[in-house]
Amino acid sequence: MSVEKTLDVTASAQIPQQRGESLLDAAVRYAEERHWDVHPGTWLQVVEGGERCSCQRADCPAPGAHPARADWAGAASGSPAAARRMWEKTPRASILLPTGRTFDVLDVSESAGCLALARMERMGVPLGPIACTPGRRMLFWVLPGGALKVLDLVRRIGWPPAALDLVPRGEGDYVVAPPSRVGSRGPVLWARQPTPANRWLPDVEELASALAYACGREASVARRR
C-alpha cells in the first residue's frame, strides 16, 4: 500500500491541515487542541542559492528539523500563548514534539508501516495519529510509557527486537511534526491526522503484534536479497 493511499483526507476545523497552514498556526493548534508540548527547532535558510540548516552545519543530517538548543526539552510548552510567542520569534522553525509526556511514538519504515496499518485497519484496531516523514518512516502515536514496553512485548510475541527496524521514542526523545520540512526532502505529513475521534491514544499492546509482524517480514525479505 502506498503512503498516498493511507493519507486520511478527512477535514476538520480543529486539526492542523496538511498544506497551507503556517508553522505558527500548527504549533498553536497542537498545544490548544491536543495539549501537546511544542518547541521550535532549527529552520532552513537560503545560502548561496541553496538551502542550509540554521545550525550552519554543511553536513547536517536533518536540515531544518532538529533541536536548536540544548535545553529545548525543558523549554517546551503546552501553552498556546507560549507557542505563539515562540513561533512569532522564529516563524520558520520546525515543530518539535517531545515524546514520553502525553504520548510515545513507534517509528518504523514506511513499507512496514503501510503493511501494519492495512492489517490493523482490517482488524479494527483503534489507532491514534500517524505521521509520514520524508525519510520514508512512519510514526505511530501510542500512550506514554509504550516505548519502555514495546521491546519486551515484541520479544514475548516471538520476534528478536534487535532484528527489527522498530524504534521506540519515549522520554528524552522527540518527533518532528507536520508541516515541518526536512531539507530538500520535503515536509512531514499526517497519514492519520489528529482529530477528536483519535484523542484517546491506543496502548502499545494493541499495535505491537502488527508492527512486529510487518517489520519481521521486511527483515526477512531483506535477508533474501
Side-chain angles (χ1 to χ4, degrees):
M1 179 185 294
S2 68
V3 172
E4 289 77 9
K5 289 183 179 179
T6 68
L7 290 178
D8 182 358
V9 296
T10 301
S12 170
Q14 297 184 332
I15 57 177
Q17 301 301 303
Q18 292 278 70
R19 303 182 188 280
E21 186 169 45
S22 71
L23 290 157
L24 183 155
D25 288 341
V28 170
R29 284 175 183 262
Y30 293 140
E32 187 171 51
E33 300 296 337
R34 302 296 288 210
H35 306 293
W36 290 344
D37 286 354
V38 297
H39 194 269
T42 54
W43 57 91
L44 296 171
Q45 298 176 326
V46 177
V47 179
E48 298 178 351
E51 288 184 321
R52 179 175 292 185
C53 185
S54 61
C55 74
Q56 303 302 315
R57 282 184 55 188
D59 62 342
C60 179
H66 64 84
R69 45 191 275 193
D71 64 344
W72 69 272
S77 174
S79 161
R84 183 172 297 280
R85 287 195 298 271
M86 288 189 285
W87 267 269
E88 284 175 345
K89 292 179 181 177
T90 53
R92 292 181 293 162
S94 54
I95 302 171
L96 307 184
L97 304 178
T99 51
R101 299 183 182 183
T102 52
F103 62 85
D104 283 359
V105 163
L106 303 182
D107 177 342
V108 300
S109 73
E110 180 184 285
S111 57
C114 287
L115 177 62
L117 177 56
R119 187 178 188 189
M120 288 187 284
E121 286 178 331
R122 288 196 302 270
M123 295 170 62
V125 174
L127 296 166
I130 302 170
C132 299
T133 78
R136 303 186 70 82
R137 307 290 296 180
M138 288 186 74
L139 311 175
F140 290 75
W141 264 241
V142 295
L143 287 170
L148 293 175
K149 298 189 290 185
V150 67
L151 297 185
D152 185 55
L153 285 169
V154 166
R155 194 178 294 110
R156 279 191 273 158
I157 293 168
W159 297 93
L164 304 183
D165 181 13
L166 195 166
V167 181
R169 300 196 178 278
E171 186 175 358
D173 207 342
Y174 67 92
V175 291
V176 181
S180 308
R181 284 181 55 211
V182 184
S184 61
R185 288 177 282 178
V188 182
L189 297 172
W190 288 115
R192 278 181 172 266
Q193 300 190 47
T195 71
N198 61 24
R199 182 174 297 279
W200 301 107
L201 300 177
D203 198 293
V204 68
E205 282 92 343
E206 299 176 86
L207 278 63
S209 179
L211 287 172
Y213 169 80
C215 290
R217 179 172 171 177
E218 183 178 60
S220 297
V221 170
R223 284 196 297 269
R224 291 198 295 268
R225 288 176 180 169

